[in-house]
Amino acid sequence: MYIPRLGFTWNKPVRDAGTARLGQWGNVVVAGHRRTHGDPFKDFPRLRRGDAVVLTDGTTWSAYRIDEGPCKTVPSDIEVIGPVPRTSGYTRPGRYLTLTTCEPEWGHSHRLIVRAHLDSTQPVEAGKPEALRR
């Protein structure tokens, strides 16, 4: 996963296996820690509306654009990862991405979430997507 605002580095957050696959209809959910397991979402609070989040499955690049966040919720609020995330502003099924991490940074009483929509896809053999070109 690549998030240009956070630098062009590779991190290994985990996609929730019960959610949509990259580029498909539904909500792809990716969870990552802020201060353990390599700190992939350490700088999560820096994310902003319009930022690119680019993922690949090895054959296709999927570029998403952040629409909202970071927003704070509680761990029991599982509707935020539904196919049409509750309180997201999305009104119909689509191709969405929700990123989630713990809040506070060293705790787990809350979650921060970011919501995004699929902006573009392209084959890996076509090169890096525009969001990753410098």
Side-chain angles (χ1 to χ4, degrees), residues 56-75:
T56 184
D57 60 8
T59 60
T60 304
W61 290 104
S62 296
Y64 293 83
R65 285 281 168 199
I66 293 177
D67 294 315
E68 179 188 18
C71 303
K72 192 179 203 179
T73 190
V74 294

Side-chain angles (χ1 to χ4, degrees), residues 1-9 11 40 42-54 64-66 69-70 99 114 131-132 134:
M1 177 164 58
Y2 300 88
I3 304 174
R5 176 177 291 280
L6 304 183
F8 290 86
T9 60
N11 287 309
K42 178 183 73 160
D43 295 322
F44 197 92
R46 292 181 49 212
L47 297 174
R48 297 290 177 262
R49 180 183 177 96
D51 285 349
V53 179
V54 183
Y64 293 83
R65 285 281 168 199
I66 293 177
L99 304 179
V114 165
L132 296 181
R134 295 185 199 197

